[in-house]
Amino acid sequence: MSSSGTRVMVSGGLLSLDTTEDVRERGSGVARQVAVLPVGSLEQHGAYLPLTTDTLVACAIAREIAAAYPVHLLPPVTISCSQEHAAWPGTVSISAVTLYAVVRDIAASLRRSGVDTLVVVNGHGGNYVLGNVVQESAGTGTRMALFPAAEDWEGACERAGVQTSLLTDMHAGEIETSILLHAHPECVEDGYETSDFVADDRRHLLTLGMSAYTESGVIGRPSRAGAEKGKELLAGLTEAFGAYFSLLTSETLH
């Protein structure tokens, strides 16, 4: 058991072993119950990272949060909005409407069981609709937040000594490769050391898709990745989550 009461994870950190009694006990010790939902994707990440990279990253972040704060850790949403990656084999997507409905349904189900606060930990930048779900939650009786924000990533990158900017490190680059080298090194294939590719001007990405900007599927500098950077990235994000937890559990939030 961790200090927050979340039990040991299985299946590469994707699933919790909590029983219903574990959830009941954790909920009885807090003024407001918070659930954390990792949302990933199933999309290409070059030749050296798995299709499940975004899910693994989201789960790694959520797992660290659950170890540090008294939250209910949910299993991940593993397929989301990856239409811009459709040119590569293995990529699978659902519509933004479907993802919107899934998250709203999960929030409603949690509320019926007494959990009125949901944090969505997003691992895929293309899930723009998640911002709308959180935006529209105001006044519905459910408190929601989307994590991490760009500012959270910036702070974590500075702490970890990440050299590549968030603009340049867009996909399968220094950040994602570092987190997997730390959390799931068995999932990182050889080749990331020589796969750097930069395409900072991507203004037509949503119209043309990723294939208009990269042949390899990579946009970033994975050669700069390291396991220690991944560890510090997760530590920085976990620390940043403290402000979210305080806000969401405050009695003064409207």
Side-chain angles (χ1 to χ4, degrees), residues 71-254:
V71 300
H72 303 302
L73 181 58
L74 302 175
V77 176
T78 59
I79 297 176
S80 59
C81 304
S82 301
Q83 288 83 357
E84 68 274 24
H85 297 272
W88 283 271
T91 297
V92 181
S93 295
I94 58 177
S95 70
V97 172
T98 300
L99 181 58
Y100 177 98
V102 167
V103 176
R104 285 292 297 270
D105 283 355
I106 290 171
S109 179
L110 287 166
R111 189 165 61 247
R112 288 192 293 271
S113 65
V115 182
D116 67 353
T117 304
L118 177 63
V119 178
V120 179
V121 175
N122 182 32
H124 172 48
N127 289 334
Y128 310 109
V129 71
L130 295 177
N132 297 118
V133 178
V134 173
Q135 175 191 30
E136 294 173 15
S137 68
T140 65
T142 297
R143 295 184 178 188
M144 293 185 68
L146 184 60
F147 183 81
E151 294 84 355
D152 302 314
W153 278 116
E154 288 171 357
C157 286
E158 182 177 356
R159 169 175 175 156
V162 170
Q163 298 170 277
T164 315
S165 70
L166 292 178
L167 172 65
T168 298
D169 202 61
M170 182 257 187
H171 192 70
E174 183 178 2
I175 294 172
E176 290 183 319
T177 307
S178 291
I179 291 176
L180 260 62
L181 282 171
H182 167 66
H184 298 282
E186 73 282 0
C187 294
V188 182
E189 302 285 347
D190 293 336
Y192 71 90
E193 305 91 339
T194 57
S195 295
D196 291 5
F197 184 79
V198 174
D200 284 351
D201 186 348
R202 305 183 296 270
R203 70 188 72 188
H204 302 300
L205 175 66
L206 297 183
T207 301
L208 301 175
M210 283 280 289
S211 60
Y213 295 95
T214 170
E215 293 184 5
S216 67
V218 178
I219 297 180
R221 295 192 176 98
S223 68
R224 299 179 176 180
E228 186 62 27
K229 288 182 181 179
K231 179 181 179 181
E232 288 302 312
L233 281 164
L234 292 176
L237 292 174
T238 302
E239 182 176 315
F241 183 77
Y244 289 75
F245 186 78
S246 296
L247 175 67
L248 291 168
T249 55
S250 169
E251 292 301 322
T252 60
L253 178 64
H254 298 290

Side-chain angles (χ1 to χ4, degrees), residues 1-12:
M1 300 281 287
S2 73
S3 59
S4 67
T6 297
R7 299 181 68 179
V8 176
M9 306 302 159
V10 296
S11 300

